[in-house]
Amino acid sequence: MKLFVTLIGIAVCSCFFYFVNNQNYDLHKTIKDEIIEHPDLLPDSKTARATSIGFKNLVADLYWLQAIQYVGGNAVSAEYKKYLFVILDLITDLNPYFESPYIIGQLLLPDHNDRYENRSTWEQEENINQAEILGLKWVENFCDQQKIEAIFAQDDLGKLWENDSLKNPCQSYTIPYYLAYIYFFYLNDPATASQYYKVASTQEDAPEGAKILTAIMQGKWGNREKSLFMFLSLAENAPTSQPLCKEVSSQLQDIYLGLTSGQVQLNGELIAAVEQTRNEVFPVLTEENENEILDDTNCTNFLHKAIRELNLLYIAQGNQKFMNDHEQNLPARHAKALFETGYIDFLPTDYQQLPSYGIIYAWDYERGRYDYENGEYR
C-alpha cells in the first residue's frame, strides 16, 4: 500500500513539474515571439508586473535574453533602436537592480552612424532622450540620492574628496560616468555633465580622469571662474615633489579670490604676469616631457589648465566688449583679432605649443563661446 501511495505521489509530482515546465516554456516562447517578431506588442510595465507576481526577476531575465537576440537580429541599419528603449525600460521595471540593460542602453541608444543608419533627426534626438531617461533611472536605483545632492552642492573639490561621508554614492563609478558622457556629447549640457563627473570622481573605483573632467566640463559650460577654482583645487590636492607648483597654486588662488571679490582687475597686465611666472617656474613643453608634465595626476597639469581658464576668462571679457561695439553682436573669430583691434592688450600663449601642433583661443561657433583648439592664428 505504501509503495502504491508513493508511486501515485511521484506520478502527481511528475505531472505537476511537466505542467510547470510547459508553462515556463510557453512563457519563454511568448516573450521570444513578442520581442523578435512583434516588439510593438510588448505589455506595458504595469501589466507585466501584474502577470509575473513572484517571478519578476525570472521574466526580466527572459526578456533580457531575447532582447540580445532582438538587437542581433535587427542590427542592419540599427533597426533595433525602434523598440530597444521599450524593452530595456520594461526589463528594468521588472528588475530595477539588473545592471546590464542600463549599460546597453547607455552605449547603444544615443550613438548614431550616418554610414549605415537611416534615422531622422527627430528619431536620433528621441533615442538620446531615452538614453538620458534610462541613465537617470539607473542613478535612482543604484545611487544614494542624498549623497548626490550633497555632492552637487559642493564646488570645493578638496573638501569634497576629503569628506568620507560622501564617498561611493553609487555602486559603481560607471553609473554617473556614462550619464555625464551623454549629457556632454549628445545633449550639449556640460553643466549637468560636470555634476555627474563630480559624482563619479567620489567613487573609489573611478579613474583619475573623472576628477579632471569635472573641472573641464565647468569650463565648457562657460563658467570659467568655477572651472578655474576646480583646477586650482585639483592642483592643491595633487601629490607632488615640486614645492614650486604648490606655491604657484597658492598665488593663483589668491588671484581667484581677488577676482571674485573685485579687489583684483582682470587685465592684460595680470595675464602677462601669470604667463611670465609660468614660463619661469615650469619647463618648456617638449615631445619628450609632454606625457610627464601633462600627466592626469600631476600638479603642473592642473595649474596649466587653470591658467588656460584664466586666459579664456580674460579673452571672453574682451570679446564681450567687441560684440557690444558691433552690429548683431558678432564675435571676434579668435584672440589675435581681439589683440589687433585693441580689445585685449596682451595676447596670451597657451602652454601646449609643440612643433607638431599648437593651441589657440578661438570662438566656438557651435557652442557660442570662446574655447581652445588646435591650430595657428591666421
Side-chain angles (χ1 to χ4, degrees), residues 211-226:
K211 296 180 179 179
I212 299 175
L213 285 168
T214 301
I216 290 176
M217 289 304 103
Q218 287 290 351
K220 295 293 183 182
W221 176 24
N223 193 337
R224 297 292 176 192
E225 296 93 337
K226 187 176 288 188

Side-chain angles (χ1 to χ4, degrees), residues 168-324:
N168 300 318
C170 301
Q171 292 187 19
S172 168
Y173 86 90
T174 57
I175 300 168
Y177 201 81
Y178 281 146
L179 187 54
Y181 177 83
I182 287 172
Y183 274 115
F184 180 65
F185 286 97
Y186 296 108
L187 291 170
N188 192 23
D189 185 358
T192 305
S194 177
Q195 293 287 47
Y196 280 104
Y197 277 127
K198 190 161 60 171
V199 173
S201 75
T202 62
Q203 292 285 145
E204 292 178 326
D205 61 340
E208 285 295 322
K211 296 180 179 179
I212 299 175
L213 285 168
T214 301
I216 290 176
M217 289 304 103
Q218 287 290 351
K220 295 293 183 182
W221 176 24
N223 193 337
R224 297 292 176 192
E225 296 93 337
K226 187 176 288 188
S227 185
L228 169 62
F229 175 75
M230 286 186 166
F231 277 124
L232 292 175
S233 179
L234 286 166
E236 187 66 24
N237 289 275
T240 182
S241 57
Q242 302 171 290
L244 281 176
C245 190
K246 295 289 186 181
E247 184 178 332
V248 175
S249 173
S250 178
Q251 293 174 2
L252 286 176
Q253 286 186 35
D254 289 340
I255 290 173
Y256 169 81
L257 293 174
L259 290 173
T260 55
S261 66
Q263 296 178 345
V264 173
Q265 296 299 312
L266 184 60
N267 52 37
E269 183 180 355
L270 173 66
I271 299 299
V274 170
E275 185 169 308
Q276 181 179 352
T277 299
R278 181 197 70 191
N279 294 340
E280 291 174 352
V281 170
F282 301 116
V284 175
L285 190 70
T286 66
E287 293 181 356
E288 288 72 26
N289 67 13
E290 181 180 15
N291 290 336
E292 178 185 353
I293 292 177
L294 303 184
D295 180 83
D296 283 348
T297 61
N298 200 322
C299 174
T300 56
N301 177 46
F302 300 135
L303 277 187
H304 283 316
K305 286 181 167 61
I307 293 171
R308 173 185 282 167
E309 293 301 313
L310 187 63
N311 290 344
L312 285 165
L313 188 63
Y314 167 63
I315 292 166
Q317 176 180 278
N319 182 66
Q320 187 58 55
K321 296 176 183 176
F322 180 92
M323 293 173 67
N324 291 342

